[in-house]
Amino acid sequence: MRVALPAWAGTLAVKAALFITVMCCALAALLGVLVHVSVTHQTVDQARDRALSRLVEATAAYEAGEALRPNAGIDPEGLPGSLRALAAAGDRGTMVTDHDGVPTMWAAGPADGGHALAVALDYSQSARTIEGLDRAILWSSGLAIGATLLVGAFAVTRVTRRLHATAQVARRISAGDLDARVDDARTQDPNRPPDEVAAVAAALDTMAASLQRKLLSEQRFTADVAHELRTPLTGLHAAAELLPPGRPTELVRDRVAALRTLTEDLLEISRLDTGKERLEADTEQLGAIAARVVRASEAAGADTEIVVVRDTHVDTDRRRLERVLGNLVANAHRHGRTPVTLTVDGPVVTVRDHGDGYPEYLVEHGPQRFRTEGGATGHGLGLTIALGQAEVLGARLTFVNVPEGEGGGALATLTLAESRGPATNGPA
């Protein structure tokens, strides 16, 4: 089972800091061990040479029958057993031990009768030298690691700050702000060599500019087509009204009306695409707006149930809100099955039908113009307009499918900002 790490553990700065720390610690440990081993060997070799030199002098004095120095003797107290056995076997050797709490270098050689002639030298100074060296290695390693971390953190922070700025611009572009650009300094100054971050920023700016040109071209094309169709459609509508009564005339008028509706929808979408729609907000009673939308649907021949759990006042543009709710109700009747229910619960309005639900692409990515699936008819403009008008209102519109165990169907939820005005509680 994998352990869940905190969110900050995944950032580039933390990973770089950990990498620098581990590498610095490994390098400091390697250099410290090498220096420690080298100096320790040198110090021990010097002490061993002195001890063996003293042993040679003591051996010569012992063989000449002279008195031994105070630091030399036959089988002295404290001589390590292994070194005593080595000397009794006829060999010479040295060993460092702790004798009476003092580090001591012993050198021993053979003597008559299977005894050991040994010399003891004070090893305290050499031991203190090695301990001081170890402390110096630790302190210098700590300072080097700290300095390296500071320099590395400064360098990594500069890179991550630029990456964060690039990611923020990418999020703004995905949210619809096509004018957003990174404008990295390294991409603007030809004298500064570009790095990988600058390459990413330049690629993002190029992509955003290309996307903006394509979208603007598409918006202009949609708007131009809709405007050009308006004039001939007006004449076609007038001509259709002059036709004699009959079934063919009804069919012509119905198709002309559908074409006029499509043209008006395209014009509305083109206005929403420009992002320059102006909001005329006022304090409105949400239940009253919902009731007008339901009456309009009934006038169009669609029976819609309205439920007001808690009425409230919202600061909104009534015309745009009615357009959003009207499109949701019309879509529920056109693509779903009755009963269709419009529910008001405070600033939250839901429209639900009991049909087969929304297509998967719509639930995952939202409505898309001129895209329908599953045998559905229409152009996908109604929900696209509803979503665009909701964005102008500053509201949140979501689409989900109700599970089969709860009756199934499609559910659209519109969340508005509640006004501080008076509210009316109770069902309608």
Side-chain angles (χ1 to χ4, degrees):
M1 183 179 66
R2 297 183 62 182
V3 180
L5 297 176
W8 55 265
T11 60
L12 180 60
V14 173
K15 292 179 179 178
L18 290 176
F19 176 77
I20 293 173
T21 302
V22 171
M23 294 303 297
C24 287
C25 290
L27 183 60
L30 178 61
L31 294 177
V33 169
L34 292 177
V35 173
H36 173 81
V37 171
S38 177
V39 174
T40 300
H41 282 177
Q42 183 179 2
T43 304
V44 171
D45 289 342
Q46 291 176 356
R48 181 182 293 114
D49 291 340
R50 290 198 307 269
L52 290 176
S53 177
R54 297 288 179 87
L55 178 61
V56 171
E57 294 175 359
T59 301
Y62 174 74
E63 291 176 350
E66 299 176 358
L68 299 176
R69 293 184 178 182
N71 60 345
I74 302 296
D75 295 333
E77 181 183 1
L79 179 65
S82 58
L83 190 58
R84 186 191 303 274
L86 181 67
D91 294 325
R92 289 182 178 181
T94 59
M95 182 177 291
V96 178
T97 62
D98 194 6
H99 180 55
D100 294 334
V102 179
T104 303
M105 170 66 79
W106 291 94
D112 295 338
H115 296 285
L117 175 62
V119 176
L121 295 181
D122 187 2
Y123 193 71
S124 300
Q125 182 63 36
S126 299
R128 286 193 294 269
T129 300
I130 295 176
E131 292 177 357
L133 175 65
D134 292 340
R135 287 194 297 269
I137 291 175
L138 291 176
W139 278 103
S140 60
S141 298
L143 290 176
I145 292 173
T148 306
L149 274 177
L150 290 176
V151 175
F154 174 74
V156 172
T157 301
R158 293 188 63 185
V159 175
T160 55
R161 188 184 300 116
R162 293 168 62 197
L163 287 176
H164 285 311
T166 303
Q168 185 177 5
V169 171
R171 285 191 291 267
R172 288 172 56 190
I173 293 173
S174 64
D177 185 7
L178 299 181
D179 293 324
R181 296 292 185 273
V182 180
D183 291 332
D184 191 274
R186 289 182 178 269
T187 62
Q188 305 297 322
D189 189 356
N191 296 324
R192 301 180 64 180
D195 55 9
E196 288 77 4
V197 180
V200 173
L204 181 62
D205 288 346
T206 303
M207 180 198 70
S210 176
L211 181 62
Q212 186 178 35
R213 286 194 300 269
K214 291 181 179 179
L215 289 179
L216 290 177
S217 176
E218 179 184 345
Q219 291 171 8
R220 284 194 298 267
F221 175 77
T222 303
D224 292 343
V225 168
H227 279 289
E228 291 298 325
L229 286 176
R230 247 183 163 183
T231 301
L233 277 176
T234 302
L236 187 60
H237 176 73
E241 294 297 325
L242 298 176
L243 293 176
R247 182 59 180 168
T249 300
E250 294 178 0
L251 292 175
V252 171
R253 291 176 180 175
D254 179 69
R255 293 299 87 197
V256 170
L259 190 55
R260 290 189 66 182
T261 301
L262 176 60
T263 304
E264 295 298 328
D265 288 345
L266 288 175
L267 285 172
E268 186 170 359
I269 286 178
S270 66
R271 290 193 299 268
L272 291 172
D273 286 339
T274 61
K276 299 179 181 179
E277 289 287 89
R278 293 292 178 264
L279 191 66
E280 298 178 1
D282 197 1
T283 302
E284 303 284 349
Q285 188 173 0
L286 193 53
I289 294 178
R292 282 196 293 269
V293 171
V294 170
R295 286 196 298 269
S297 69
E298 292 174 349
D303 187 14
T304 305
E305 178 185 2
I306 180 171
V307 177
V308 180
V309 178
R310 180 174 70 88
D311 200 359
T312 187
H313 287 76
V314 293
D315 293 330
T316 186
D317 188 324
R318 180 175 60 84
R319 179 184 63 84
R320 297 183 187 277
L321 180 56
E322 289 181 354
R323 177 68 161 157
V324 174
L325 297 180
N327 281 14
L328 295 178
V329 170
N331 183 82
H333 283 288
R334 183 177 298 113
H335 302 290
R337 287 192 296 269
T338 57
V340 175
T341 306
L342 189 153
T343 304
V344 177
D345 188 0
V348 179
V349 183
T350 59
V351 177
R352 177 185 175 183
D353 63 61
H354 290 74
D356 297 328
Y358 294 118
E360 290 298 326
Y361 81 88
L362 193 148
V363 176
E364 294 179 4
H365 307 291
Q368 301 177 24
R369 64 193 71 174
F370 298 109
R371 178 177 179 179
T372 56
E373 292 183 1
T377 59
H379 305 283
L381 300 181
L383 293 183
T384 303
I385 293 174
L387 184 61
Q389 293 290 7
E391 292 176 355
V392 176
L393 293 173
R396 182 169 178 264
L397 180 58
T398 59
F399 304 92
V400 297
N401 288 327
V402 181
E404 292 294 335
E406 300 177 11
L411 177 66
T413 303
L414 179 68
T415 305
L416 300 157
E418 191 169 7
S419 174
R420 294 184 179 181
T424 304
N425 295 324

